[in-house]
Amino acid sequence: MTSISDKRNKKKIEHIAIIMDGNGRWAKSRGLPRIFGHRAGVKSVERTVRAAKELDIPYISLYAFSTENWKRPKIEIVGLMGLFRYYIKAKIDEICKEEARMRFAGNIKGLPEDIQRIIEDTEDRTKCYDKRQLIICLNYGGRQEIIDAVNSIIEDGTSAPITEDILREHLYLNDVPDPDLIIRTSGELRLSNFWLWQSSYSEFYFTNKYWPDFGKEDLEQAISAYYGRDRRYGKA
Ligand code: FPP
């Protein structure tokens, strides 16, 4: 059997993006409030980030809170914001030890002020690391990102014609490679406004597992499926 590292010689996977779905159903199936699903989801984040390091994946991005998630009940939003605070603060030392750069994508100014400060501090403390990046998409929406890019091009006074390269330069994290692989858990088969521009040629992997049940083996299976694909980028 070909191992993941053998397959890597064929074409290297750089960026894996994950839509972490199914926390609410995971909790419901256990008769628990939804926030318990999100808490279990944090453990899954930790497992997956560790696994990605072991599997030598340089970029991992996680869809943690979308621009549409504000429509959820207030109690759930407050609980989620509490988890983001806790996770970022509690993990910063560990992330520094592992020499990973932690970055955030989204409308950060729309988040509570203390979270904005935590984000600034975390990005600042980890910006010296260049081996691996963990990207948390918070208050992120793909359409909003494209609108923000267009507005920033206008503010720069750039005149037409606007090219693909110009638009890309104005995205939130313009130096991050497009995701090679996008994983979505919980059996839903949608992109849900995630990395709209960047996902043009991404491969997709869907699993029925709820996010809190996702682990290293699942990540390996997704990577294996990716290496079995033929990426032609429009060529014959
Ligand atoms: C989707 O499941 C999940 C979310 C909107 C939140 C994801 C957040 C975490 C995993 C918590 C921590 C993350 C970080 C990066 C610290 P859902 O609630 O829509 O599930 P459902 O479809 O079953 O209701």
Side-chain angles (χ1 to χ4, degrees), residues 20-26 34 38 41-42 45 62-65 69 72 76 80 83-84 87 136 211:
M20 309 179 287
D21 199 8
N23 295 349
R25 279 165 284 167
W26 183 91
R34 294 176 60 82
H38 297 312
V42 174
V45 167
L62 303 173
Y63 203 9
F65 195 86
N69 285 151
R72 293 189 174 213
E76 185 173 349
L80 276 168
L83 281 183
F84 300 141
Y87 177 81
I136 308 286
W211 174 247

Side-chain angles (χ1 to χ4, degrees), residues 113-139:
E113 283 200 4
D114 67 315
I115 298 189
Q116 292 184 42
R117 299 292 86 78
I118 296 171
I119 286 175
E120 271 168 32
D121 179 52
T122 305
E123 289 194 326
D124 200 49
R125 280 182 62 188
T126 62
K127 71 178 177 219
C128 49
Y129 304 124
D130 58 5
K131 278 191 219 145
R132 273 184 307 285
Q133 295 198 13
L134 169 61
I135 297 152
I136 308 286
C137 300
L138 261 190
N139 198 17

